[in-house]
Amino acid sequence: MFKLIFNRIRVLYLLFVIVLFEGCNSNSTKNNFTSDFNTTSQRTWIGPEYWSNPLQDWNVENGELNCLVSDKNRNVHLLTKKIDSNSGTINTSVQIKVHQLIESKKNENWVGFSIGSKGEFNDFRDNAIFGKGLNAGVTTRGDLFIGTFEQKTSKPLIKNVLKRGVVLAFNYAPFKSNFKITLSLFDITGKKLLNKIEKELKPSETIHGDIVLVSHYNLKKSDKRRLQKSVSFSNWQVSGSKISTYNDYKFGPILFSQYTLSRKVLKLTAQMAPVILGKEKVYLEIKKENKWIVIDSSSIDKDARTATFNVFNWKAEKNIPYRVSYKIDKGIKYKEQCFWEGMIRKDPVNKEEFVVAGFTGNDHLGFPNSDITKQVAYHNPDLLFFSGDQIYEPSGGFGVQRSPYDKATLDYLRKWYMFGWAFRDLMKDRPTISITDDHDVYHGNIWGAGGIATPKEYGQGAKAQDAGGYKMPPKWVNMVQKTQTSHFPNPFDPTPVKQGINTYYTDMDYGGVSFAILEDRKFKSAPKGLLPKANIWNGWAQNKKFDMKTEGDVKGATLLGDRQLLFLNHWVSDWSEQTTMKMLLSQTIFANVATLPKEAMSGAIIPTLRIMHEGDYAENDRPVADLDSNGWPQTGRNKALKIIRKAFAVHLAGDQHLGSTIQYGIDDWGDGGFALCVPSISNHWPRRWYPLENGINRDPNKPKYTGEFEDGFGNKMTVYAVSNPTFTDKKPSRLHDRATGYGIVRLNKRTREIILECWPRSANPANGNKDQYKGWPITIKQEQNYGRKAASYLPELRINGVENPIVQVIDETINEILYTIRINGKTFKPKVFNKSHTYTLKIGLSTNNFKIVKRNLSPLKKETFLVININE
């Protein structure tokens, strides 16, 4: 009895010291925190002050925060209160009800806190995903611990009260020349002390970072108890002189936004958190004469958690501030209104240089990619293009959950929310194009085969994806596409493919540039069934005797599909009065710019072995034939390129884990357009280009891997630059040694020059470090994107009455549009490709407004010209 009274006196004394210390700190009250988990019904999203790991394993209901599983390292970070590095105190407490008292031999199942949780990059978002701190809690056996499980402090009956409810309190304060931590366990009233332990820390062990609630159960995957609720938390309180407030770290309920603007139509999608679905709508407002005016409203999609707005007749002559608003359900009597603000930029149609930033491969290795977003903000692009793999299956830890449907949806959304968290400050103020690729739909590789389902008997592995189609349910695939593409201009042909999977391929006119947006993978044939002799595994021929150049291009193999070829034929010849240049956006390039040692041509090689030291060269490499690339099927590739070059369009893409600039060859080297494949944001699977033979017709001052080559499929390509991975002294090496970064394309509408740039993560152009990857920047002219050599020319055009008109050349003999271009100036010499054919010339302000048509023109035998007079 005496001992119990003595312990209570000690606790009261400790609390008195803490309160006295806090009273001396004027900031103590404003930095205090008390949780509010009130809601009218169950909600997955906890609130804007929190981040839960993983999303699908938590909810709030009946005023409690519940961990819905009994699994490893389930945790909730408090975003708005942080432990700073100054000296002072930390106090946090929480009510706990433990639902699963599952003991383990090592006494490692526990609930409680992680204190001072930090990530690698000194960023609150990194802390929230990957942070590690000092664990302190109570085990399911009733033992308190700080840091390790070595202490055995359980007292009789403590285990029994864990289910009824307890209060766990953590206190940290200066103690002599050190710091002391006290971890106390009280009954549910918080008045009766059940147990406590103490631990001293040295001055070098000072704590700063996040305060986190944790539920940790180390059970076997086969243990069904792993899927049962572990713990409920409530009345979480934080105070102390080391606590600071960061309200701008709140995340949600409107997490981020993406928009496009094309042909006077604004489409904006707000990505919402998994809030309670009901009558509450999301509103789009614009600022007009210093007042916010609602211009559209939207319900929240029950799967994608998106709210999409369509605004017609948008006035694009000036910047217009916008905000998205929504009221959070905070219980029966209260709803909290929240906002997300951005800017709809004026259409840069009169801007001389149009800048596009390109990205691919957003693994979590460098999350939240603040180095890249700062660099890109410096470039101030007019458009952001994410070419695919905005998420990877392991992103954010905790693996991948493919079923049941509702959990698989939340599993994806958490990864997608991470992407938005990293890039939202760029996306909110400029148009964004983000297109889905294989990892976005939980595939290592994907051959969509027109939307079919993969054979169920093959499960989820490489064998299933080699067979073609989608592994995940069509409803889930459509959910993914809606999160990434619902803000696009309407699809060219919205007819769903098989299983009811929707399409999104379309075009966008913005800033005087016309963009075609493709779906490379959706219609592509699976190679396994078409190439049985090759013995395909994961897109690679395991039969080393199979010659992909001579045997791989088989009848019936599809790349883009007839529907997208029809779209491209329309797009290349559709020029509005504002269209000056054209750009193709797709998942990947139409070539396979990669090599491997001869002995590893089946694709099996450790990724880090692909990284070389600066100045070294892989002397035994050969061009590979990776069927995941758009180098296959060759006929489908050539069909697409023959159409694309008719618009003199440059191609921007990604996916290859290796930055490159090439010029396509179809019948001959250089007769197609140029392409920039951007490097990965973070690269878990690096590739390289070190062909054994030197490039033909290469610049002698350039590396020997440049020049004219055939890829592993026999496709012609001229290589101008490649960002091969090299070992560096930059840290972390997993980012900087793997040739990561981003691409920039500058389209000069006055000069018709196109500048292709490839930037490493280590660059810092704002601070003067403007070193791009070796070989960049590369400057080309618009007309180089139809590099096919002329057989002859039609008479030179000398045009009066209008500057920079559209010229379209039609081969009458074969009834085919050869190309369409907005010329630069008033003179143009149309090239043609058959001397014996006759041709039609159409000239005007747009392809819907041709003013002059000249027919039955023959190629020149001697120099001459046509004078064309156009009255606007």
Side-chain angles (χ1 to χ4, degrees), residues 113-118 130-136 147 207-208 210 212:
F113 303 108
S114 179
I115 305 296
S117 182
K118 299 188 295 295
F130 300 111
K132 294 181 180 179
L134 176 69
N135 294 332
I207 294 174
H208 64 277
D210 284 11
V212 187

Side-chain angles (χ1 to χ4, degrees), residues 536-557:
I536 302 299
W537 183 83
N538 200 29
W540 292 82
Q542 302 303 298
N543 179 2
K544 295 184 179 182
K545 295 182 179 180
F546 188 85
D547 189 342
M548 202 63 72
K549 293 183 178 181
T550 60
E551 301 177 80
D553 193 19
V554 294
K555 187 176 181 181

Side-chain angles (χ1 to χ4, degrees), residues 39-85:
T39 176
T40 57
S41 59
Q42 182 276 134
R43 189 178 70 211
T44 299
W45 178 66
I46 303 170
E49 304 91 351
Y50 312 95
W51 175 267
S52 57
N53 291 306
L55 177 67
Q56 64 267 30
D57 288 348
W58 295 88
N59 75 7
V60 287
E61 188 174 17
N62 298 324
E64 292 182 326
L65 167 64
N66 303 299
C67 184
L68 304 176
V69 299
S70 300
D71 214 335
K72 295 178 183 177
N73 192 31
R74 270 44 188 177
N75 58 80
V76 173
H77 286 247
L78 180 58
L79 299 177
T80 55
K81 304 292 179 179
K82 305 292 181 185
I83 303 170
D84 280 349
S85 56

